[in-house]
Amino acid sequence: MFNVLTSINWLSVLVAFAAYFMLGALWYMVLFPKPYRASLGKEHEPAAGQSQDPLYIVGPAVCALLITITCAVLLYALHINTYGPALGFALLVGVGYLVSNTVNIAINPNMPRPFFYGLITGSYHLAGMVFVNLILVAMK
């Protein structure tokens, strides 16, 4: 499986990663900031109260990069070269791993609205997977 590492277009990985990461900023800061805060039980807190700790920027960036690299390895190993199969792969990975895992992690006593959180965050990851995989195939 890892024999494809030398075949990967690493520029496409960087472009796909940047798109995924920037989608997160758009998703949580512009498109859905209020629903996201509500999913965390913080709907009465102002957005300006969000932590400025670098962990909340670096952590998601590292995760998005690892997810993007994993998708690239699998796309190349599975010989996915066109948009239709890439979209199918994105939906499979997005729903099967990222959405379901997001909901599973949210189901705990510290998360006041786990399914709402799963909807907000899971749909971000699903959209991100579509972008990542379509970019990787487009630049293959």
Side-chain angles (χ1 to χ4, degrees), residues 83-106:
Y83 293 120
L87 181 59
F89 177 78
L91 294 174
L92 178 68
V93 170
V95 173
Y97 288 127
L98 297 175
V99 173
S100 61
N101 198 41
T102 297
V103 172
N104 188 48
I105 290 168

Side-chain angles (χ1 to χ4, degrees), residues 12-13 16-17 20 63-73 132 136:
S12 73
V13 171
F17 155 71
Y20 191 16
C63 292
L65 180 60
L66 290 173
I67 291 167
T68 303
I69 292 169
T70 301
C71 286
V73 169
V132 162
L136 290 172

Side-chain angles (χ1 to χ4, degrees), residues 3-127:
N3 59 337
V4 300
L5 290 174
T6 57
S7 302
I8 291 173
N9 177 350
W10 291 98
L11 178 60
S12 73
V13 171
L14 290 176
V15 170
F17 155 71
Y20 191 16
F21 185 67
M22 295 310 295
L23 177 65
L26 179 68
W27 201 268
Y28 295 108
M29 295 171 64
V30 177
L31 298 174
F32 303 106
K34 289 180 183 179
Y36 179 63
R37 283 195 311 277
S39 75
L40 297 170
K42 298 181 179 198
E43 59 270 19
H44 301 296
E45 294 181 21
Q50 294 175 351
S51 176
Q52 301 302 312
D53 188 332
L55 174 67
Y56 298 104
I57 296 171
V58 175
V62 169
C63 292
L65 180 60
L66 290 173
I67 291 167
T68 303
I69 292 169
T70 301
C71 286
V73 169
L74 291 172
L75 282 176
Y76 278 75
L78 296 170
H79 305 289
I80 296 173
N81 299 313
T82 58
Y83 293 120
L87 181 59
F89 177 78
L91 294 174
L92 178 68
V93 170
V95 173
Y97 288 127
L98 297 175
V99 173
S100 61
N101 198 41
T102 297
V103 172
N104 188 48
I105 290 168
I107 298 172
N108 71 69
N110 298 314
M111 188 67 67
R113 300 179 70 188
F115 295 109
F116 188 42
Y117 175 86
L119 176 67
I120 300 292
T121 300
S123 59
Y124 154 67
H125 287 297
L126 184 58

